[in-house]
Amino acid sequence: MARIGVFDSGYGGLTILEKFRALLPEYDYVYLGDNARTPYGTRSFEVVYQYTLECVKKLFELDCDLVILACNTASAKALRTIQQKDLPLIAPNKRVLGVIRPTAEKIGDFTKTNHVGLLGTEGTIQSGSYPIEINKLFPKIVVTGQACPMWVPLIENGEHLSDGADYFVEKYINKLLSADPKIDTLVLACTHYPLLVDKIKKHVGEHVQIISQGPIIADRLKDYLLRHPEMETKLSKNGECTFYTTESVDKFKKSASTFLQTNIEANHITL
Ligand code: DGL
């Protein structure tokens, strides 16, 4: 039997995993956080691709026939190459899915002004993947991106609720909203950012809706499984989740338990 692999550079993918488990609790999940090499957001295409491929291969070894890159940076910089070049050679019956296209498909449901703001890592913003995907589906939507390079380090170091975090939240939000004051929809295009959502809300006006990806990606996974019975029937259904980190198990357990508000056990993994 196979399990569903959920990958992120660190803790961010937990915000997606928890929505998977809420909507699709029957399946078995394997979470892999590459905490030893996080953040990915400031790294080159080649490095993000290499790191992501290594993690995907590890998840394949752990019987994950379906892997979700719960990381926008990896989805922007590695997904296409893995799907088109690597999968046919290394695992033609396994699947790797990302988070950008499903999020782009939903944007039209939210914006009224047709002005959308995008908050992401440097890698995601520079890749241009979101404007490309959104404009394929909604050519009239104007997408303005803002890279927030300090946010992932704040979260990975457990400083996202501190007063100091407000400075960097306000800084990037102000930059984005002054670049396009017509923005009425803000996409948190990094799976870490929902952990900052209270602070983000504090610094945007009430007229701006904030879109977190978790519920959208969970809904798309449900739909994917309905459309792909050949994958769905081979997935084991014990409602279990196993966590792996490339960093210290104790650190991962402590932080992940805070993010998920429940105690978890974690395992160390070498890539
Ligand atoms: N959580 C990841 C994302 O969605 C990236 C974090 C990082 O920079 O490693 O982009």
Side-chain angles (χ1 to χ4, degrees):
M1 293 303 279
R3 302 184 283 178
I4 300 175
V6 180
F7 163 72
D8 183 47
S9 62
Y11 300 113
L14 297 171
T15 63
I16 304 282
L17 175 73
E18 73 174 329
K19 301 299 178 204
F20 286 170
R21 297 191 77 197
L23 189 68
L24 303 162
E26 64 273 35
Y27 297 103
D28 294 330
Y29 298 90
V30 178
Y31 184 87
L32 171 54
D34 191 6
N35 302 79
R37 301 189 295 191
T38 197
Y40 280 17
T42 43
R43 299 188 192 275
S44 67
F45 262 90
E46 188 51 30
V47 170
V48 172
Y49 162 65
Q50 285 303 339
Y51 284 5
T52 305
L53 183 60
E54 282 170 26
C55 293
V56 165
K57 283 182 176 167
K58 191 52 78 175
L59 284 165
F60 287 168
E61 280 171 29
L62 294 166
D63 300 323
C64 298
D65 284 13
L66 177 61
V67 173
I68 316 295
L69 302 185
C71 174
N72 289 269
T73 311
S75 299
K77 293 189 162 185
L79 178 65
R80 186 155 302 194
T81 316
I82 291 176
Q83 284 176 332
Q84 294 178 355
K85 182 175 145 273
D86 299 298
L87 272 191
L89 295 173
I90 60 171
N93 296 323
K94 300 185 195 274
R95 291 290 172 267
V96 181
L97 307 175
V99 290
I100 295 181
R101 174 80 189 195
T103 308
E105 283 170 0
K106 279 281 165 193
I107 294 306
D109 295 353
F110 295 102
T111 179
K112 302 264 181 305
T113 61
N114 274 341
H115 286 254
V116 168
L118 193 67
L119 298 163
T121 64
E122 277 174 345
T124 299
I125 301 300
Q126 277 165 11
S127 74
S129 302
Y130 268 97
I132 293 168
E133 290 299 333
I134 293 173
N135 289 145
K136 268 189 215 159
L137 303 160
F138 310 104
K140 290 199 182 124
I141 293 183
V142 177
V143 183
T144 306
Q146 174 63 48
C148 312
M150 287 303 291
W151 288 7
V152 170
L154 284 170
I155 294 162
E156 288 288 318
N157 290 294
E159 290 292 338
H160 53 290
L161 301 177
S162 69
D163 291 342
D166 279 284
Y167 172 81
F168 288 105
V169 171
E170 190 178 8
K171 178 175 174 176
Y172 299 139
I173 296 284
N174 285 352
K175 268 192 172 178
L176 179 65
L177 296 182
S178 39
D180 182 357
K182 289 193 193 146
I183 287 170
D184 70 344
T185 303
L186 207 54
V187 184
L188 304 187
C190 172
T191 54
H192 281 69
Y193 296 175
L195 295 159
L196 281 169
V197 75
D198 290 338
K199 290 197 187 294
I200 296 170
K201 272 189 193 146
K202 228 168 76 185
H203 295 288
V204 297
E206 300 241 314
H207 64 291
V208 180
Q209 327 177 58
I210 299 171
I211 314 297
S212 294
Q213 297 176 294
I216 297 174
I217 307 304
D219 186 63
R220 299 317 294 157
L221 176 61
K222 184 174 177 187
D223 180 65
Y224 176 88
L225 295 174
L226 284 172
R227 287 184 293 108
H228 293 274
E230 77 291 352
M231 177 62 76
E232 202 283 333
T233 47
K234 59 179 174 170
L235 295 175
S236 57
K237 298 174 185 75
N238 304 302
E240 287 169 3
C241 186
T242 314
F243 295 87
Y244 291 94
T245 175
T246 54
E247 242 291 348
S248 132
V249 168
D250 288 342
K251 194 173 168 232
F252 186 87
K253 262 167 60 177
K254 194 164 161 265
S255 298
S257 300
T258 319
F259 293 151
L260 295 171
Q261 282 155 3
T262 174
N263 277 333
I264 61 126
E265 285 307 315
N267 306 281
H268 180 74
I269 202 157
T270 311
L271 297 172

